[in-house]
Amino acid sequence: MCRSYFFISCCLFLAMFFNQYVSSQDNFDKYFEKKSLRVDFALSGNAEGQSAALQQMREEPIWGGPQKNLIDPFEYGGYYVKVYDGASNQLLYTKGFNTLFEEWLTTDQAKTETQSWTNSISIPYPKQPVIFELLARNRQTNEFEMLMKQTIDPKSIFIDRGPLKNLKVNQIQYKGDSDSKVDLVFLPEGYTEAEMTKFAGDVQRFTESLFKTPPFNERREDFNVWSVNLPSEESGMDISGEGVFKNTALNSGFYTFGVDRYLTTPDMKSIRDAVWNVACDAVFILVNSERYGGGGMYNFYAIGTADNERTSVVFVHEFGHSFAGLADEYFQSEVAYSDFYSLKSEPWEPNITTLINFDAKWKDLLPSGTPVPTPLEAPYADKLGVFEGGGYLSKGIYRPMDHCMMRDYAPFCPACSRAILQMIDYFSDRKL
């Protein structure tokens, strides 16, 4: 009798699970077309606050993102997009992300200047009018607050439907339909037309490096990898602190916020223009240089140089930021930020904690008997714990292990590895 009851219960649960999964696909087919609506917007402000304004919208031919996992379960990022059906007000799609502007707001420069930066986000193309909401995270409370609310009619004459430059797209690795794969796109920066062969070789080298790194090595079959031939007029990138400026496709440079090793680009429009006709869940910008440095922003892009001796680990570290929302775990290196994390709230990143809501982090992974916080001494020093120091602060923020890819290029710790695997599941449309 008990066995029969257990069997029936399992069948009912599996049926419910399957129906919900099918329903999610039905929602996509009901509300969206399999192409993208790109929304470009400006973020403006200073250390006192920010605002947002719509700049332009574009219809683009490919949607490579999830079709079943339309509601982001993580709520990571400093910004968050929500899309509602205009008629029923049903929540249809959500996505979190970070921007470089968000980081700039915490610099000393933002205390004396007001700036405006262009940003961009893509959503599945709606069949009927939708309500588009852009929210920003309050750093003190960690709650999202409304920045912009816009009704979007997909038939609007103000949506740009013209094709962009038809750059060559190269298939590096294809494992299946983009609906159920992570689509990683490499973009070249500071490679001239004559250096596109070098770019192709660098992409192949970086691809192999990623899939030799745990836990990515377990999930190679879940990735498609592409590259786009986007030549620059000159080799290299800007090094503004040393008076070097180059004419490149994506306008990247070192000395972001005055930090010599911090390599980024504020030019989101050029990035999005380059990937308009390729399935794209994650972007890595490969810079043609031997100099050490890089950067990464969740669900926006990661960037790194091609030829430094530490290139391969910098790539994986920065991809950890942009793909899985992982925080920096170091706390002794120079940064330009002031009070990037509030100690009065729990940070959203899965690999750091202020202990305010540690239950939501890696508490369930700790070995039995591990003290919280964990002393950096035997027998705990080489095990998963809760060690003080992380997120650029030596006190009040805690990391999962003493050494990790997100601190000093050691292997990913169990907390970071789990976050990466969960993100692969999300983009490959597995049930979470």
Side-chain angles (χ1 to χ4, degrees):
M1 189 71 175
C2 290
R3 289 181 180 177
S4 298
Y5 177 78
F6 178 76
F7 177 77
I8 292 170
S9 298
C10 285
C11 289
L12 289 173
F13 173 80
L14 291 172
M16 181 174 65
F17 182 94
F18 178 77
N19 287 336
Q20 288 176 343
Y21 197 61
V22 171
S23 176
S24 298
Q25 180 65 60
D26 290 343
N27 272 347
F28 187 92
D29 295 336
K30 179 178 179 180
Y31 292 106
F32 298 110
E33 298 184 51
K34 199 177 175 184
K35 52 187 179 181
S36 298
L37 177 65
R38 173 177 140 191
V39 180
D40 292 349
F41 57 94
L43 292 174
S44 304
N46 52 41
E48 298 300 316
Q50 62 179 315
S51 61
L54 180 67
Q55 290 186 321
Q56 71 164 359
M57 294 181 289
R58 281 187 46 80
E59 177 186 319
E60 296 183 338
I62 295 175
W63 173 252
Q67 293 189 36
K68 299 182 179 71
N69 291 334
L70 294 174
I71 306 301
D72 165 24
F74 307 109
E75 295 192 354
Y76 294 168
Y79 297 88
Y80 209 69
V81 161
K82 293 184 177 182
V83 178
Y84 295 87
D85 176 52
S88 66
N89 209 40
Q90 178 183 342
L91 183 63
L92 303 178
Y93 178 81
T94 64
K95 183 176 184 178
F97 59 98
N98 283 353
T99 75
L100 195 58
F101 181 77
E102 166 193 9
E103 297 182 18
W104 178 81
L105 290 174
T106 69
T107 66
D108 288 341
Q109 190 180 25
K111 297 175 182 177
T112 60
E113 296 182 15
T114 297
Q115 294 191 8
S116 180
W117 298 29
T118 295
N119 293 270
S120 182
I121 193 76
S122 291
I123 64 173
Y125 201 92
K127 291 183 175 179
Q128 302 297 331
V130 294
I131 299 168
F132 176 94
E133 292 183 353
L134 174 65
L135 302 95
R137 193 183 296 273
N138 184 306
R139 288 188 179 277
Q140 299 305 312
T141 66
N142 217 30
E143 300 296 324
F144 285 112
E145 299 172 351
M146 185 72 69
L147 264 190
M148 183 178 77
K149 187 173 183 177
Q150 182 83 29
T151 297
I152 297 175
D153 182 351
K155 298 180 177 62
S156 169
I157 63 171
F158 301 111
I159 296 175
D160 187 343
R161 293 176 170 82
L164 296 174
K165 187 174 182 179
N166 191 23
L167 301 169
K168 183 183 178 184
V169 175
N170 309 292
Q171 179 180 295
I172 310 304
Q173 169 177 300
Y174 184 76
K175 296 295 183 178
D177 193 276
S178 293
D179 300 349
S180 57
K181 301 297 175 185
V182 182
D183 286 282
L184 168 60
V185 181
F186 284 94
L187 294 180
E189 170 68 336
Y191 291 81
T192 64
E193 185 70 60
E195 293 171 314
M196 283 296 106
T197 300
K198 178 183 185 302
F199 171 62
D202 290 343
V203 168
Q204 193 64 52
R205 176 164 51 92
F206 273 68
T207 299
E208 295 307 316
S209 177
L210 179 67
F211 294 121
K212 289 178 182 176
T213 304
F216 292 102
N217 62 329
E218 305 169 19
R219 302 294 294 272
R220 182 165 190 159
E221 295 300 310
D222 290 302
F223 281 78
N224 294 330
V225 182
W226 314 87
S227 69
V228 177
N229 284 16
L230 178 67
S232 293
E233 292 299 316
E234 295 183 276
S235 298
M237 69 285 119
D238 294 349
I239 312 174
S240 59
E242 300 170 17
V244 176
F245 296 92
K246 297 294 186 72
N247 184 359
T248 59
L250 300 176
N251 299 301
S252 71
F254 283 98
Y255 283 90
T256 303
F257 311 140
V259 178
D260 61 350
R261 72 179 188 283
Y262 197 11
L263 171 64
T264 67
T265 175
D267 190 357
M268 281 306 302
K269 190 173 186 299
S270 292
I271 295 173
R272 298 311 306 178
D273 285 353
V275 298
W276 73 282
N277 62 345
V278 59
C280 180
D281 295 316
V283 172
F284 192 87
I285 301 170
L286 199 53
V287 181
N288 188 18
S289 172
E290 296 179 356
R291 193 178 178 109
Y292 171 77
M297 284 151 283
Y298 175 58
N299 265 344
F300 246 39
Y301 68 82
I303 184 170
T305 55
D307 298 315
N308 186 268
E309 62 183 6
R310 289 192 281 177
T311 268
S312 60
V313 288
V314 172
F315 160 54
V316 177
H317 171 97
E318 302 300 350
F319 193 62
H321 288 309
S322 67
F323 178 70
L326 300 177
D328 282 317
E329 295 177 12
Y330 56 79
F331 48 92
Q332 295 169 320
S333 299
E334 177 197 7
V335 294
Y337 316 126
S338 301
D339 303 322
F340 195 80
Y341 293 102
S342 170
L343 299 183
K344 297 179 180 179
S345 61
E346 183 67 28
W348 57 264
E349 293 93 334
N351 62 319
I352 58 173
T353 180
T354 55
L355 298 180
I356 290 174
N357 186 17
F358 182 50
D359 287 354
K361 297 302 175 71
W362 62 92
K363 184 177 180 180
D364 60 311
L365 297 177
L366 291 179
S368 178
T370 303
V372 178
T374 310
L376 192 53
E377 58 189 38
Y380 309 112
D382 296 325
K383 296 183 175 63
L384 188 69
V386 188
F387 301 101
E388 193 164 28
Y392 321 121
L393 295 174
S394 60
K395 298 292 182 182
I397 292 185
Y398 301 83
R399 65 191 187 280
M401 288 191 74
D402 188 22
H403 300 287
C404 174
M405 179 65 70
M406 301 313 295
R407 181 186 179 194
D408 52 12
Y409 306 135
F412 283 111
C413 70
C416 290
S417 293
R418 178 169 68 177
I420 290 167
L421 293 172
Q422 288 174 338
M423 197 61 67
I424 295 173
D425 287 343
Y426 166 73
F427 277 110
S428 56
D429 250 343
R430 289 179 170 85
K431 274 308 240 185
L432 301 173

